[in-house]
Structures are given as C-alpha cells and as structure tokens.
Amino acid sequence: MSGDGRVDGLKIAQRAVSMALDAGASAAEAVVSDERSALTRFANNEIHQNVAEADTQVNLRFIDGRRVGVASANGHDDAALQRLAASAGTIARLQPEQSDLAPLPGPQETPLVAGAWAGSTAAADPDGRADAATAVIAAADTVGAQAFGYCSTSDEQVSVANSMGVAVSEPRSRAQVLTVMMGPGGGSGYAEQVAVDVDSLDAAAIGREAAERTAAMKDPVELPAGEYPVVLDSYAVMDITDWLGYLGFSALAVQEERSFFEQGATVGSPLVSIADDPADPAGTPASFDYEGVPKHRLTLLENGVCRGIVHDVQTAARAGVASTGHGLPAPNPWGPFPLHMSMAAGETPRAELIGGMERGLLVTRFHYTNVVQPKQVIVTGMTKDGLFLVEDGAVKAPVRNLRFTQDYLAALAAVEAVSRERRAVEGMIGTAVVPSLRIGAFSFTGTTEH
C-alpha cells in the first residue's frame, strides 16, 4: 500500500489470477477497481450531507474448461484472494457448459489516452465541494428558489489482468455538479455539468442556468397533446443517445435480432452522426474496457446511416470479428454497450435553433423514460424542469409538462438543425457528449398535473 493509502491494483489482479490457476482454473481474469469517491449533497438551500468512501473491489472470472464462475470481494490480502478463487471455482463447477465460450483476449498494445484523470479531482476536499454547492445555492437565492442537488468527485484506478498475459492499469477521475430548483408559481429548473477535472466545473454557471430556467417556468400555461416541432436541449438529446446505445448499437442486441441496426441502413437525418469516442476530451476518456481490450473511436451512425456496433470478446467471437473494446465486468448477460457516446456538432448556434422555429416547443430534459417497443426504439416519458412555447423564433411562455410517446429513430430522421455547442451529460450507460437538436415533429400524447 502506498503512502496515500492507494494499493497496486494491477499486482492484486495478477495475484488473483495466479491463485485462480493454482485452484484449478484453465483460464482466469481479474478486474480491480480501487476508488475514492465523495459526495456533498444539498437541499432547501442548505448543505445537509457530506460522505466519502474508499473501496477496493476485486472481480474474478474463473474458467474451468467451458464452465465459468464469477466472484468478487473487497479484501485483497493473500487469504482473501485465496477464498475468492475458491468461491469462483466452486461457482464455475456448478454451472452448465457454454458451448460457444470465447477464449480470453491476449495482450495488445494499449496506449493510455490523455485526459482520463486529473489530480485536482483526486485532491478534491469537502471545502471545495461545499464551495460548489454554495455557488449553486446563491444562484437559487437570486430568484427565490430552493436548490437541491450535489457535487460529487471520484478518483479510480482500474486494473485488468488475465492468464493470457493481459496486464493494463489506468487512473480515471470524474466530477459532477447537478441541481434541480423549485421556485414560486410552480417553476422548476435543471442544470448539470460532468468533467474529468473538477476545476473545469463552473458551479456558479450551473446555478445561474438552473435559476434562470426556474424563474422563466413560473405559472406555466397548458397546451393540448399533439405533434409539435421541438428544440431539444442537450439534456434531452442525451436520452435519445442513451436508448439508442442501450437498445440498438450493442452487438448482442443485433445477434438476438432485437436491434434496429442494419449495416448501411438510413435511420436518421444526414445531419446526425454518432460515434463511441473514448478519447473525446469533452467527455470522460478511457483507454481499455473491463476485459483489458484497447478502446478506439468507433463510428456508429454516419450522416444518418448505420455504420458500426460495439463488441465485447464473446459477441466478437460469435461474429468472427475483433472486440471493439466494449466489454463490461463479468458476469455480463447484457452484452457490450457504448459508454462514450458522442454526437457530432452541427453548424447552427443554439440560439438560432430556436430562432428558426415558427411555432413549437423548447424541451430542457426528459424524465422517467421507458421503452415501449425496443426494436423501433419507441420510448415514453415526460418533459421536466423547463418546457417552453416558442413562436416566431422566440420563447413566449412556460408550458406545463407533457407526456410523450415517440419513435426515437423517427425523431432522428426529422432533425432539421444541430447546434455548434455540445456538452457532456451523464446518462444511464455512460457519459454522452451531445449538441442540441431542432426536430420537425415530436409526438406528445398527454398532459400532466404539474
């Protein structure tokens, strides 16, 4: 253990693999996450919680012929790793054989990307997070709103080793400021920022953004359900990329015939291009996946045309191709996912997205979205924390939230303009770097009480 309390995750992973082999494994893989994370939470314009956690997790995949067992532990001394290997081995021997089990990957050249870790985030303390919370709260005070949210920081060392010779390790960090505000007259607003470097977060700007939105949402009017042109802010666009990644760009979804993806098929506007880009400095970069396979930029959608899907070792073996570096920790029944979605910027300033709309809606974000039809990516949900009527290119009035049921592929096909500006937004399967979009038609199916 080092003087700062950190462990050598790669050595732990290699020891775990060695002990699995000693316990009778024909092959083995270990993933070690050594993480320091902290969270400062605020509500009703007061900081009410500061928590921190230090944890080292060892995840061991024990392969016995065509049987696989996985076990995990927090201990990493020799006795703990021996128990872990024994547990994983017992689990493996109780499993049915996997007829198409892919072999573990071998070592590859794995250059570490720039910008995955920042010392400022690793050194972040409660005072710094409190300062960020205070800046958000100060912005809420200017409009008579109550601020809720948090500032979080994490510093992680990810290490992967296997019996084929893979041995990779990388520090990664992440920081986030997020707030929801509630104001008089039923107004509410939302804003967030995610970055590798906590010093690049502008908590005061996040606070102002949410506060301005909250004040503008006072006393919303009610509009009927129907089809409207929309401008989707980045927070809402993130929901689209999230569901596309979860339902469609995974090789397992394609192999199980539950994905929209068809190589060369046009599913979106020529203005829409999406990649999985683990080196994008605007996001949260990473150099390799949880199987130790190097990551590279992969085009998923190019000018609206399907170009690529993400693979882990197992789906790649079935398809007779190489893994694209999208393996998740074992056991993984969900398959690979694109964790670094990046939608290309357009040529239109964000203000002109609104300026180009005769009558429609400006949507800040979606809430409580759920899939209705996976293969067509039909999703239902609600707008939240900022919905506005736009007429003649200007915001006219706040609008009470609407429920929608929308084919997200049809929405992409109806994109009319893409903003120059992009932002990093945290989604359910990773960090997405996305612009704002103007879409010609979006289907709102009902109203809400708030």
Side-chain angles (χ1 to χ4, degrees), residues 284-309:
T284 51
S287 304
F288 53 85
D289 70 3
Y290 293 94
E291 295 179 305
V293 176
K295 287 177 168 290
H296 304 283
R297 189 181 191 278
L298 176 67
T299 299
L300 306 171
L301 202 67
E302 182 179 32
N303 304 126
V305 178
C306 291
R307 294 300 187 204
I309 54 176

Side-chain angles (χ1 to χ4, degrees), residues 69-103:
V70 179
S72 60
N74 299 97
H76 50 81
D77 58 22
D78 284 350
L81 294 179
Q82 286 169 351
R83 289 193 299 271
L84 178 64
S87 295
T90 298
I91 293 169
R93 292 169 187 127
L94 292 172
Q95 300 304 307
E97 289 191 346
Q98 298 182 27
S99 60
D100 65 344
L101 180 64

Side-chain angles (χ1 to χ4, degrees), residues 46-62:
E46 292 184 353
I47 296 171
H48 70 95
Q49 184 182 51
N50 182 71
V51 294
E53 179 182 15
D55 190 21
T56 303
Q57 294 189 358
V58 185
N59 194 71
L60 179 64
R61 177 159 43 162
F62 186 112

Side-chain angles (χ1 to χ4, degrees), residues 148-173:
F148 307 79
Y150 60 81
C151 175
S152 66
T153 54
S154 67
D155 168 31
E156 180 184 25
Q157 183 85 25
V158 179
S159 306
V160 183
N162 72 22
S163 54
M164 300 296 292
V166 166
V168 290
S169 188
E170 176 177 59
R172 300 172 185 173
S173 63

Side-chain angles (χ1 to χ4, degrees), residues 240-252:
I240 294 179
T241 58
D242 240 6
W243 281 113
L244 291 175
Y246 184 75
L247 297 172
F249 290 126
S250 165
L252 185 61

Side-chain angles (χ1 to χ4, degrees), residues 121-132:
T121 305
D125 59 19
D127 288 342
R129 289 187 298 275
D131 288 344

Side-chain angles (χ1 to χ4, degrees), residues 75-336:
H76 50 81
D77 58 22
D78 284 350
L81 294 179
Q82 286 169 351
R83 289 193 299 271
L84 178 64
S87 295
T90 298
I91 293 169
R93 292 169 187 127
L94 292 172
Q95 300 304 307
E97 289 191 346
Q98 298 182 27
S99 60
D100 65 344
L101 180 64
L104 294 176
Q108 301 179 51
E109 185 178 352
T110 309
L112 298 186
V113 299
W117 181 86
S120 56
T121 305
D125 59 19
D127 288 342
R129 289 187 298 275
D131 288 344
T134 300
V136 173
I137 291 167
D141 283 336
T142 64
V143 296
Q146 297 292 306
F148 307 79
Y150 60 81
C151 175
S152 66
T153 54
S154 67
D155 168 31
E156 180 184 25
Q157 183 85 25
V158 179
S159 306
V160 183
N162 72 22
S163 54
M164 300 296 292
V166 166
V168 290
S169 188
E170 176 177 59
R172 300 172 185 173
S173 63
R174 180 184 170 280
Q176 183 181 25
V177 173
L178 180 150
T179 186
V180 176
M181 294 184 185
M182 306 295 292
S188 67
Y190 176 90
E192 71 162 284
Q193 189 177 4
V194 180
V196 168
D197 186 350
V198 69
D199 286 348
S200 70
L201 298 181
D202 190 338
I206 291 299
R208 288 192 299 271
E209 179 186 344
E212 290 168 3
R213 198 167 277 133
T214 302
M217 277 297 296
K218 183 179 180 181
D219 300 324
V221 301
E222 186 171 334
L223 288 182
E227 195 171 80
Y228 293 87
V230 294
V231 169
L232 301 185
D233 210 341
S234 300
Y235 306 124
V237 175
M238 177 276 297
D239 198 77
I240 294 179
T241 58
D242 240 6
W243 281 113
L244 291 175
Y246 184 75
L247 297 172
F249 290 126
S250 165
L252 185 61
V254 173
Q255 290 170 358
E256 294 179 347
E257 299 183 354
R258 51 184 172 84
S259 168
F260 66 83
F261 186 91
E262 182 181 344
Q263 184 68 42
T266 299
V267 298
S269 161
L271 298 174
V272 176
S273 293
I274 302 173
D276 186 79
D277 190 353
D280 188 343
T284 51
S287 304
F288 53 85
D289 70 3
Y290 293 94
E291 295 179 305
V293 176
K295 287 177 168 290
H296 304 283
R297 189 181 191 278
L298 176 67
T299 299
L300 306 171
L301 202 67
E302 182 179 32
N303 304 126
V305 178
C306 291
R307 294 300 187 204
I309 54 176
V310 300
H311 281 279
D312 57 14
V313 167
Q314 185 65 48
T315 60
R318 289 184 190 136
V321 299
S323 170
T324 57
H326 291 86
L328 298 177
N332 175 27
W334 306 281

